[in-house]
Amino acid sequence: MTDTAAERDLPSTAACARPTAGGVALFSVIAVIGLLLLFAPFVFSDVRSTQVAARICVFVVLAASYDLLIGYTGIVSFAHTMFFGMGAYGAAMGLKFGGADWGHLLLGSVGGVLAAAVLAVLIGLLSLRVKALFFAMVTLAAGSVMMVLASQLTSLTGGEDGLVYSTPRLFKPAMKLVTNADGEAARLFGVPLDGRLALYYFVFIVCLVVFVLLARIVRSPLGTVLEAIRENELRAEAIGYRVVAYRTAVFVIAAVAAAVAGVVWAVWLRYTGPDTTLSFDIMIDILLMVVIGGMGTMYGAIIGVVVMSLAQSYLKDLMSAAAGATSGVPILPHLLDPDRWPLWLGLLFILLVLFFPAGIAGTLMKKGSRS
Amino acid sequence: MSGSILRLDDVHTDIGQYRVLHGVTLDVPEGGVYVLLGRNGAGKTTTLRTIMGLWRARAGAIVFRHRDITALHTADIARLGIAYVPENMGIFGGLTVEENMRLASATSRFDRTRLGRIQDLFPAIRQFWDKPAWSLSGGQKQMLAISRAIIEPRDLILIDEPTKGLAPSIIRAMIEAFREIARDTTILLVEQNFLFASSLGQGVSVIDDGRIVHDGDMAALAADEALQTRLLSLSMAAHQ
């Protein structure tokens, strides 16, 4: 039980105690991202950019809650999208079968989040005693079962087609938050103050609140215990901490955060289906976002989500432009064909892992550190 | 010394397919330092880990303050007032010195008097308070591990080979610190450094091949070179 080189790589609270040059750069970038997200509807006029901004907000919560699991506690779970889906389906069912009002949205959301919490308690208590690999397998199985259930219980979930529904009136595009003299939606910096704006800020505020809560947890005494458990669970037990209880608690907290993100995502999309919430591709995306951002850093989730989301949304456009610009050059236009964007995304991921072994945030926080 | 604080009664422990403890019976009196001596692989660390529930006793009973703790969970054993300082320090390298100490503190606020006493015993704890624990030297890590064990009042502290790999000057400082700690806490000390052990211990047990082969006063063992040679294949002279 000696200290190892691996321990030295831990981007821990200790490493964050005094801001390093890299840390200052990191938090400057995060501040810029935060400001861009805050003013996204005013900065980016097109629908697609606002869609990307809302996706970033939701996935920051999803990735940060997953970081709480894998980065802070060392729990490898493949059921995170399952909880995300439970929140989303809860809200979707409430709005679809109850009606597009706040009461049914709240009822469905609370139902979905509670169901996620109860399932997390059961999985946690039954499975967190076993070795990490077996726990990962259990969560993989649970996630697959939920995917099958969502596809098969057509009357409830809409099956593979999913559920399409309306949202409360406040979020409808036709809703005018403030009207001008002509009875039209008033504009602020050219942006109409309508339901779309209200919906974006609903997404932004809920995600911000959940992220701040998660960030507070890791800076609290509970966060210190989690780091201790991740580093050596037997040592933590010998001090008096029930590791299974703490791991289960963290698993439940992460599940609830993921389910809340699912609720927000369901309201934003006005559609919930297996592909938008439960898909294993989303699970892999979350994992990559956390690894790229830096495990056990929390703020790394923001960086990871932004990098991945921008790459997934704009890499094709970039490649299309590059292919056009190099059309006279042999081979290059074929390599830059927009259909080959996963290849370049993979290359980008390899480069990030090579140059930022502790993730972007983890590596930056250590830059300029003297300890 | 008064009555017994910890008693192991015919404790058997297996690690995987290997039988390591073959019926350890040990009586640790309350107060002072009690030493468990033995050669490498004799079962000293296994005895401490079995007391803490980190390895389960296959048979026998472990009684702490008249309460059977054999089947208790490790965390519950710790909460009864038993601290464990494992071999090779057992600190959390990714956390600061303060966070390491805070982990073992029962409340969010330290007992300032107690903390001050610890920092007087081990000045490095004060000096490196906000530094990551991995950046400490070997001796400082050991001091941190011991400080963490005593940040709350404990009835019993199990310490596994605290002098391993430490410089003589640090060992001398540690002797003074252990004497101070033993004024209000019982220490069960596992050691191979006989000089260190004999300068601290009042009572001693010698373990060999998973069985206790000798119980008695440390002073008597320290004075009897023939007994030392027979039990430990060593003598005081060899370590002086």
Side-chain angles (χ1 to χ4, degrees):
Chain A
M1 301 209 287
T2 54
D3 66 309
T4 61
E7 280 178 0
R8 287 160 196 254
D9 287 338
L10 294 172
S12 67
T13 324
C16 311
R18 191 181 301 149
T20 60
V24 171
L26 171 73
F27 285 107
S28 305
V29 170
I30 287 172
V32 170
I33 293 170
L35 286 172
L36 284 175
L37 289 176
L38 175 61
F39 297 112
F42 300 97
V43 176
F44 311 107
S45 51
D46 60 312
V47 175
R48 188 181 173 201
S49 298
T50 316
Q51 168 74 18
V52 171
R55 187 180 190 272
I56 288 173
C57 291
V58 172
F59 274 72
V60 160
V61 171
L62 206 51
S65 56
Y66 194 64
D67 192 27
L68 186 66
L69 281 184
I70 194 167
Y72 282 87
T73 325
I75 297 172
V76 181
S77 164
F78 292 110
H80 213 54
T81 45
M82 176 179 80
F83 299 123
F84 181 58
M86 288 174 84
Y89 271 101
M93 286 177 197
L95 291 169
K96 176 81 179 175
F97 304 117
D101 55 71
W102 286 102
H104 287 102
L105 171 60
L106 193 67
L107 193 69
S109 304
V110 170
V113 172
L114 271 181
V118 170
L119 192 59
V121 170
L122 289 175
I123 293 177
L125 285 177
L126 292 175
S127 318
L128 278 168
R129 293 165 200 276
V130 299
K131 285 187 177 172
L133 180 66
F134 295 118
F135 180 75
M137 293 298 110
V138 168
T139 56
L140 188 61
S144 303
V145 167
M146 194 56 72
M147 185 87 176
V148 171
L149 284 176
S151 299
Q152 300 295 315
L153 298 174
T154 315
S155 57
L156 270 178
T157 62
E160 291 291 337
D161 295 334
L163 298 170
V164 182
Y165 40 86
S166 295
T167 51
R169 205 171 135 256
L170 177 67
F171 299 145
K172 289 187 194 297
M175 174 70 189
K176 295 162 192 160
L177 300 176
V178 182
T179 50
N180 58 19
D182 303 328
E184 298 293 315
R187 287 176 176 267
L188 183 64
F189 303 117
V191 177
L193 302 177
D194 58 15
R196 277 174 296 200
L197 196 67
L199 180 56
Y200 178 80
Y201 281 105
F202 165 76
V203 171
F204 179 81
I205 290 167
V206 174
C207 291
L208 180 68
V209 168
V210 178
F211 181 79
V212 168
L213 287 175
L214 290 171
R216 281 191 71 92
I217 286 172
V218 300
R219 302 291 288 179
S220 72
L222 173 64
T224 310
V225 177
L226 298 182
E227 286 192 59
I229 289 172
R230 176 189 64 182
E231 198 172 323
N232 192 313
E233 61 183 86
L234 286 183
R235 284 179 201 165
E237 290 263 10
I239 295 176
Y241 294 103
R242 280 251 187 194
V243 170
V244 172
Y246 276 90
R247 283 184 155 178
T248 304
V250 168
F251 194 55
V252 173
I253 292 169
V256 166
V260 172
V263 167
V264 173
W265 195 227
V267 175
W268 172 261
L269 289 181
R270 297 186 180 92
Y271 163 78
T272 296
D275 290 343
T276 58
T277 53
L278 296 167
S279 146
F280 196 70
D281 289 347
I282 299 176
M283 190 61 245
I284 297 295
D285 281 353
I286 301 167
L287 186 60
L288 289 180
M289 286 164 178
V290 173
V291 172
I292 288 172
M295 287 197 289
T297 59
M298 195 52 69
Y299 293 99
I302 299 173
I303 304 286
V305 170
V306 168
V307 169
M308 280 286 286
S309 298
L310 291 184
Q312 287 172 331
S313 304
Y314 295 109
L315 194 58
K316 267 174 115 170
D317 295 350
L318 201 67
M319 286 177 65
S320 182
T326 56
S327 56
V329 183
I331 303 173
L332 215 51
H334 297 288
L335 280 174
L336 294 170
D337 189 300
D339 288 343
R340 295 204 169 86
W341 74 275
L343 174 80
W344 291 95
L345 187 63
L347 194 66
L348 176 70
F349 180 65
I350 291 168
L351 289 174
L352 284 170
V353 169
L354 277 177
F355 290 105
F356 298 93
I360 296 173
T363 308
L364 278 179
M365 272 196 242
K366 283 191 288 189
K367 290 270 182 211
S369 167
R370 272 175 284 174
S371 52
Chain B
M1 280 191 238
S2 55
S4 161
I5 188 168
L6 178 78
R7 181 171 170 76
L8 276 70
D9 195 5
D10 196 26
V11 169
H12 295 250
T13 302
D14 298 346
I15 300 175
Q17 57 183 335
Y18 301 103
R19 302 219 151 154
V20 182
L21 301 187
H22 304 275
V24 169
T25 297
L26 185 67
D27 216 339
V28 179
E30 180 148 18
V33 179
Y34 194 88
V35 180
L36 182 61
L37 288 172
R39 298 185 186 96
N40 262 337
K44 304 184 298 294
T45 298
T46 305
T47 303
L48 293 193
R49 290 178 68 94
T50 305
I51 295 167
M52 283 308 293
L54 291 165
W55 281 322
R56 287 283 154 209
R58 179 173 53 83
I62 304 166
V63 178
F64 172 69
R65 286 204 181 287
H66 311 292
R67 180 177 175 180
D68 190 336
I69 62 166
T70 319
L72 283 190
H73 191 274
T74 299
D76 295 334
I77 293 170
R79 284 192 201 136
L80 286 176
I82 304 180
Y84 176 46
V85 181
E87 200 178 356
N88 298 322
M89 298 86 177
I91 55 146
F92 297 99
L95 304 178
T96 60
V97 170
E98 180 190 358
E99 287 167 336
N100 266 276
M101 297 287 282
R102 209 168 277 287
L103 276 176
S105 178
T107 58
S108 57
R109 286 188 179 179
F110 290 114
D111 175 341
R112 305 307 299 185
T113 314
R114 198 170 180 87
L115 181 63
R117 222 179 105 205
I118 290 169
Q119 289 175 332
D120 290 343
L121 274 177
F122 302 117
I125 299 300
R126 183 181 284 121
Q127 192 183 346
F128 298 103
W129 188 242
D130 60 351
K131 293 281 186 292
W134 61 258
S135 65
L136 303 181
S137 70
Q140 289 162 349
K141 283 178 185 166
Q142 191 61 271
M143 289 170 192
L144 172 58
I146 295 162
S147 301
R148 200 181 57 197
I150 57 173
I151 188 64
E152 287 293 320
R154 312 282 182 196
D155 290 340
L156 176 65
I157 305 178
L158 314 178
I159 306 180
D160 196 355
E161 300 210 34
T163 62
K164 201 172 176 180
L166 298 188
S169 59
I170 297 173
I171 294 176
R172 277 194 293 277
M174 211 161 266
I175 289 173
E176 290 310 311
F178 278 25
R179 283 195 181 127
E180 178 69 24
I181 294 165
R183 285 184 188 186
D184 52 11
T185 305
T186 306
I187 296 176
L188 173 56
L189 177 70
V190 156
E191 252 307 333
Q192 287 210 60
N193 181 335
F194 188 76
L195 195 62
F196 177 76
S198 61
S199 64
L200 279 168
Q202 288 93 52
V204 62
S205 288
V206 179
I207 187 169
D208 193 31
D209 195 23
R211 291 180 186 84
I212 299 294
V213 293
H214 173 83
D215 286 308
D217 282 343
M218 180 56 93
L221 180 61
D224 190 340
E225 283 203 19
L227 187 61
Q228 289 170 39
T229 307
R230 182 167 67 78
L231 293 172
L232 304 163
S233 303
L234 51 79
S235 67
M236 283 282 282
H239 280 256
Q240 281 172 331

Tab-separated table of all heavy atoms in Angstrom, chain A residues 150-187:
chain	number	residue	atom	x	y	z
A	150	ALA	N	-37.966	-0.595	-23.206
A	150	ALA	CA	-38.416	0.618	-23.902
A	150	ALA	C	-38.884	0.293	-25.320
A	150	ALA	O	-39.824	0.906	-25.833
A	150	ALA	CB	-37.291	1.646	-23.931
A	151	SER	N	-38.232	-0.693	-25.940
A	151	SER	CA	-38.615	-1.065	-27.310
A	151	SER	C	-39.879	-1.921	-27.341
A	151	SER	O	-40.655	-1.837	-28.287
A	151	SER	CB	-37.477	-1.844	-27.970
A	151	SER	OG	-36.332	-1.056	-28.024
A	152	GLN	N	-40.054	-2.748	-26.291
A	152	GLN	CA	-41.162	-3.712	-26.304
A	152	GLN	C	-42.460	-3.172	-25.716
A	152	GLN	O	-43.539	-3.528	-26.174
A	152	GLN	CB	-40.756	-4.981	-25.526
A	152	GLN	CG	-39.529	-5.701	-26.088
A	152	GLN	CD	-39.777	-6.256	-27.472
A	152	GLN	OE1	-40.817	-6.858	-27.729
A	152	GLN	NE2	-38.840	-6.030	-28.392
A	153	LEU	N	-42.361	-2.336	-24.703
A	153	LEU	CA	-43.585	-1.824	-24.059
A	153	LEU	C	-44.156	-0.663	-24.887
A	153	LEU	O	-44.197	0.503	-24.449
A	153	LEU	CB	-43.285	-1.364	-22.624
A	153	LEU	CG	-42.793	-2.456	-21.661
A	153	LEU	CD1	-42.400	-1.848	-20.325
A	153	LEU	CD2	-43.875	-3.514	-21.458
A	154	THR	N	-44.576	-1.020	-26.087
A	154	THR	CA	-44.974	-0.001	-27.071
A	154	THR	C	-46.076	0.925	-26.556
A	154	THR	O	-46.034	2.143	-26.783
A	154	THR	CB	-45.445	-0.693	-28.362
A	154	THR	OG1	-44.500	-1.721	-28.667
A	154	THR	CG2	-45.509	0.280	-29.513
A	155	SER	N	-47.063	0.369	-25.866
A	155	SER	CA	-48.193	1.198	-25.436
A	155	SER	C	-47.761	2.285	-24.449
A	155	SER	O	-48.373	3.346	-24.374
A	155	SER	CB	-49.265	0.307	-24.798
A	155	SER	OG	-48.693	-0.399	-23.721
A	156	LEU	N	-46.706	2.018	-23.710
A	156	LEU	CA	-46.223	3.000	-22.730
A	156	LEU	C	-45.146	3.916	-23.306
A	156	LEU	O	-45.131	5.126	-23.062
A	156	LEU	CB	-45.632	2.266	-21.519
A	156	LEU	CG	-46.557	1.920	-20.358
A	156	LEU	CD1	-45.777	1.154	-19.302
A	156	LEU	CD2	-47.143	3.185	-19.744
A	157	THR	N	-44.223	3.291	-24.042
A	157	THR	CA	-43.017	4.029	-24.452
A	157	THR	C	-43.016	4.426	-25.924
A	157	THR	O	-42.127	5.150	-26.361
A	157	THR	CB	-41.769	3.160	-24.204
A	157	THR	OG1	-41.889	1.967	-25.028
A	157	THR	CG2	-41.645	2.742	-22.751
A	158	GLY	N	-43.975	3.911	-26.667
A	158	GLY	CA	-43.982	4.190	-28.106
A	158	GLY	C	-43.026	3.293	-28.868
A	158	GLY	O	-42.824	3.488	-30.070
A	159	GLY	N	-42.425	2.338	-28.189
A	159	GLY	CA	-41.514	1.389	-28.833
A	159	GLY	C	-40.335	2.082	-29.488
A	159	GLY	O	-39.814	3.075	-28.965
A	160	GLU	N	-39.915	1.556	-30.630
A	160	GLU	CA	-38.753	2.118	-31.345
A	160	GLU	C	-39.038	3.541	-31.836
A	160	GLU	O	-38.118	4.337	-32.011
A	160	GLU	CB	-38.396	1.235	-32.545
A	160	GLU	CG	-37.830	-0.129	-32.174
A	160	GLU	CD	-36.441	-0.033	-31.535
A	160	GLU	OE1	-35.757	0.967	-31.772
A	160	GLU	OE2	-36.077	-0.952	-30.777
A	161	ASP	N	-40.328	3.834	-32.094
A	161	ASP	CA	-40.681	5.181	-32.592
A	161	ASP	C	-40.616	6.234	-31.495
A	161	ASP	O	-40.541	7.429	-31.784
A	161	ASP	CB	-42.100	5.167	-33.179
A	161	ASP	CG	-42.179	4.291	-34.415
A	161	ASP	OD1	-41.123	4.131	-35.070
A	161	ASP	OD2	-43.255	3.751	-34.700
A	162	GLY	N	-40.702	5.790	-30.260
A	162	GLY	CA	-40.646	6.739	-29.150
A	162	GLY	C	-41.935	7.527	-28.976
A	162	GLY	O	-42.973	7.199	-29.563
A	163	LEU	N	-41.857	8.548	-28.134
A	163	LEU	CA	-43.039	9.370	-27.835
A	163	LEU	C	-42.831	10.801	-28.324
A	163	LEU	O	-41.768	11.391	-28.100
A	163	LEU	CB	-43.287	9.399	-26.316
A	163	LEU	CG	-43.584	8.060	-25.622
A	163	LEU	CD1	-43.565	8.254	-24.113
A	163	LEU	CD2	-44.935	7.516	-26.062
A	164	VAL	N	-43.851	11.311	-28.982
A	164	VAL	CA	-43.836	12.726	-29.380
A	164	VAL	C	-44.945	13.416	-28.592
A	164	VAL	O	-46.040	12.861	-28.460
A	164	VAL	CB	-44.089	12.884	-30.899
A	164	VAL	CG1	-44.028	14.362	-31.302
A	164	VAL	CG2	-43.075	12.089	-31.699
A	165	TYR	N	-44.671	14.583	-28.059
A	165	TYR	CA	-45.649	15.226	-27.174
A	165	TYR	C	-45.461	16.736	-27.200
A	165	TYR	O	-44.474	17.243	-27.762
A	165	TYR	CB	-45.465	14.718	-25.730
A	165	TYR	CG	-44.023	14.579	-25.362
A	165	TYR	CD1	-43.312	15.659	-24.880
A	165	TYR	CD2	-43.346	13.368	-25.561
A	165	TYR	CE1	-41.968	15.546	-24.597
A	165	TYR	CE2	-41.996	13.247	-25.289
A	165	TYR	CZ	-41.311	14.339	-24.802
A	165	TYR	OH	-39.979	14.250	-24.542
A	166	SER	N	-46.384	17.421	-26.577
A	166	SER	CA	-46.263	18.879	-26.457
A	166	SER	C	-45.728	19.217	-25.076
A	166	SER	O	-45.820	18.404	-24.145
A	166	SER	CB	-47.630	19.535	-26.624
A	166	SER	OG	-48.091	19.317	-27.927
A	167	THR	N	-45.202	20.400	-24.945
A	167	THR	CA	-44.679	20.854	-23.646
A	167	THR	C	-45.618	21.939	-23.102
A	167	THR	O	-46.496	22.425	-23.819
A	167	THR	CB	-43.266	21.437	-23.834
A	167	THR	OG1	-43.314	22.385	-24.890
A	167	THR	CG2	-42.259	20.353	-24.161
A	168	PRO	N	-45.463	22.337	-21.843
A	168	PRO	CA	-46.311	23.414	-21.313
A	168	PRO	C	-46.258	24.666	-22.207
A	168	PRO	O	-45.256	24.915	-22.888
A	168	PRO	CB	-45.701	23.686	-19.942
A	168	PRO	CG	-45.116	22.388	-19.534
A	168	PRO	CD	-44.604	21.768	-20.794
A	169	ARG	N	-47.309	25.423	-22.129
A	169	ARG	CA	-47.504	26.564	-23.035
A	169	ARG	C	-46.326	27.538	-23.032
A	169	ARG	O	-45.967	28.086	-24.074
A	169	ARG	CB	-48.791	27.288	-22.607
A	169	ARG	CG	-49.434	28.054	-23.727
A	169	ARG	CD	-50.807	28.586	-23.359
A	169	ARG	NE	-50.931	29.963	-23.793
A	169	ARG	CZ	-50.867	31.012	-23.006
A	169	ARG	NH1	-50.683	30.852	-21.711
A	169	ARG	NH2	-50.981	32.234	-23.483
A	170	LEU	N	-45.715	27.679	-21.859
A	170	LEU	CA	-44.594	28.621	-21.738
A	170	LEU	C	-43.486	28.315	-22.745
A	170	LEU	O	-42.779	29.211	-23.196
A	170	LEU	CB	-44.033	28.568	-20.306
A	170	LEU	CG	-42.806	29.433	-20.014
A	170	LEU	CD1	-43.154	30.923	-20.089
A	170	LEU	CD2	-42.213	29.119	-18.649
A	171	PHE	N	-43.329	27.023	-23.089
A	171	PHE	CA	-42.212	26.628	-23.953
A	171	PHE	C	-42.597	26.534	-25.432
A	171	PHE	O	-41.767	26.173	-26.261
A	171	PHE	CB	-41.654	25.268	-23.502
A	171	PHE	CG	-41.119	25.274	-22.092
A	171	PHE	CD1	-41.254	24.162	-21.278
A	171	PHE	CD2	-40.480	26.399	-21.588
A	171	PHE	CE1	-40.767	24.171	-19.994
A	171	PHE	CE2	-39.985	26.414	-20.293
A	171	PHE	CZ	-40.132	25.296	-19.488
A	172	LYS	N	-43.837	26.816	-25.751
A	172	LYS	CA	-44.249	26.717	-27.157
A	172	LYS	C	-43.665	27.898	-27.940
A	172	LYS	O	-43.648	29.034	-27.437
A	172	LYS	CB	-45.769	26.724	-27.268
A	172	LYS	CG	-46.402	25.433	-26.763
A	172	LYS	CD	-47.880	25.433	-27.047
A	172	LYS	CE	-48.614	24.359	-26.274
A	172	LYS	NZ	-48.248	23.021	-26.575
A	173	PRO	N	-43.210	27.668	-29.185
A	173	PRO	CA	-42.602	28.763	-29.962
A	173	PRO	C	-43.546	29.949	-30.135
A	173	PRO	O	-43.095	31.097	-30.211
A	173	PRO	CB	-42.302	28.101	-31.314
A	173	PRO	CG	-42.195	26.647	-31.014
A	173	PRO	CD	-43.135	26.376	-29.890
A	174	ALA	N	-44.843	29.670	-30.154
A	174	ALA	CA	-45.799	30.763	-30.370
A	174	ALA	C	-46.019	31.606	-29.107
A	174	ALA	O	-46.632	32.688	-29.169
A	174	ALA	CB	-47.130	30.185	-30.827
A	175	MET	N	-45.536	31.132	-27.992
A	175	MET	CA	-45.725	31.848	-26.730
A	175	MET	C	-44.938	33.169	-26.743
A	175	MET	O	-43.748	33.181	-27.049
A	175	MET	CB	-45.243	30.962	-25.566
A	175	MET	CG	-45.256	31.630	-24.234
A	175	MET	SD	-46.949	31.892	-23.689
A	175	MET	CE	-46.677	32.919	-22.273
A	176	LYS	N	-45.611	34.252	-26.436
A	176	LYS	CA	-44.922	35.545	-26.393
A	176	LYS	C	-44.688	35.912	-24.936
A	176	LYS	O	-45.643	36.106	-24.186
A	176	LYS	CB	-45.777	36.608	-27.079
A	176	LYS	CG	-45.953	36.350	-28.567
A	176	LYS	CD	-47.121	37.136	-29.114
A	176	LYS	CE	-47.452	36.655	-30.505
A	176	LYS	NZ	-48.817	37.006	-30.906
A	177	LEU	N	-43.435	35.981	-24.545
A	177	LEU	CA	-43.118	36.299	-23.147
A	177	LEU	C	-43.414	37.774	-22.868
A	177	LEU	O	-43.952	38.133	-21.837
A	177	LEU	CB	-41.648	35.995	-22.857
A	177	LEU	CG	-41.198	34.540	-23.062
A	177	LEU	CD1	-39.707	34.416	-22.826
A	177	LEU	CD2	-41.955	33.602	-22.137
A	178	VAL	N	-43.021	38.622	-23.809
A	178	VAL	CA	-43.291	40.059	-23.728
A	178	VAL	C	-43.755	40.497	-25.120
A	178	VAL	O	-43.160	40.086	-26.116
A	178	VAL	CB	-42.018	40.854	-23.338
A	178	VAL	CG1	-42.330	42.345	-23.211
A	178	VAL	CG2	-41.424	40.309	-22.051
A	179	THR	N	-44.816	41.284	-25.172
A	179	THR	CA	-45.304	41.717	-26.488
A	179	THR	C	-44.965	43.183	-26.717
A	179	THR	O	-44.853	43.972	-25.773
A	179	THR	CB	-46.830	41.527	-26.604
A	179	THR	OG1	-47.450	42.115	-25.462
A	179	THR	CG2	-47.204	40.064	-26.696
A	180	ASN	N	-44.817	43.523	-28.009
A	180	ASN	CA	-44.593	44.933	-28.348
A	180	ASN	C	-45.936	45.582	-28.709
A	180	ASN	O	-46.997	44.960	-28.567
A	180	ASN	CB	-43.559	45.061	-29.471
A	180	ASN	CG	-43.993	44.314	-30.721
A	180	ASN	OD1	-45.187	44.009	-30.872
A	180	ASN	ND2	-43.056	44.013	-31.594
A	181	ALA	N	-45.873	46.795	-29.206
A	181	ALA	CA	-47.093	47.545	-29.512
A	181	ALA	C	-47.943	46.854	-30.570
A	181	ALA	O	-49.182	46.975	-30.586
A	181	ALA	CB	-46.712	48.952	-29.981
A	182	ASP	N	-47.267	46.061	-31.464
A	182	ASP	CA	-48.007	45.381	-32.534
A	182	ASP	C	-48.591	44.042	-32.081
A	182	ASP	O	-49.150	43.295	-32.894
A	182	ASP	CB	-47.083	45.121	-33.735
A	182	ASP	CG	-46.469	46.410	-34.258
A	182	ASP	OD1	-47.160	47.445	-34.163
A	182	ASP	OD2	-45.314	46.375	-34.721
A	183	GLY	N	-48.370	43.708	-30.841
A	183	GLY	CA	-48.867	42.421	-30.349
A	183	GLY	C	-47.943	41.265	-30.686
A	183	GLY	O	-48.245	40.100	-30.411
A	184	GLU	N	-46.786	41.568	-31.271
A	184	GLU	CA	-45.783	40.536	-31.579
A	184	GLU	C	-44.873	40.348	-30.367
A	184	GLU	O	-44.858	41.193	-29.465
A	184	GLU	CB	-44.936	40.976	-32.783
A	184	GLU	CG	-45.705	41.178	-34.074
A	184	GLU	CD	-46.256	39.869	-34.612
A	184	GLU	OE1	-45.510	38.879	-34.620
A	184	GLU	OE2	-47.452	39.834	-34.966
A	185	ALA	N	-44.104	39.251	-30.396
A	185	ALA	CA	-43.126	39.045	-29.322
A	185	ALA	C	-42.070	40.142	-29.384
A	185	ALA	O	-41.511	40.395	-30.467
A	185	ALA	CB	-42.476	37.676	-29.475
A	186	ALA	N	-41.846	40.784	-28.243
A	186	ALA	CA	-40.825	41.839	-28.223
A	186	ALA	C	-39.464	41.221	-28.466
A	186	ALA	O	-39.252	40.026	-28.228
A	186	ALA	CB	-40.862	42.537	-26.867
A	187	ARG	N	-38.523	42.037	-28.950
A	187	ARG	CA	-37.186	41.527	-29.247
A	187	ARG	C	-36.162	42.172	-28.329
A	187	ARG	O	-36.267	43.357	-28.001
A	187	ARG	CB	-36.834	41.801	-30.711
A	187	ARG	CG	-37.592	40.906	-31.675
A	187	ARG	CD	-37.323	41.240	-33.120
A	187	ARG	NE	-38.000	40.287	-33.991
A	187	ARG	CZ	-37.425	39.181	-34.469
A	187	ARG	NH1	-36.183	38.901	-34.178
A	187	ARG	NH2	-38.118	38.369	-35.239
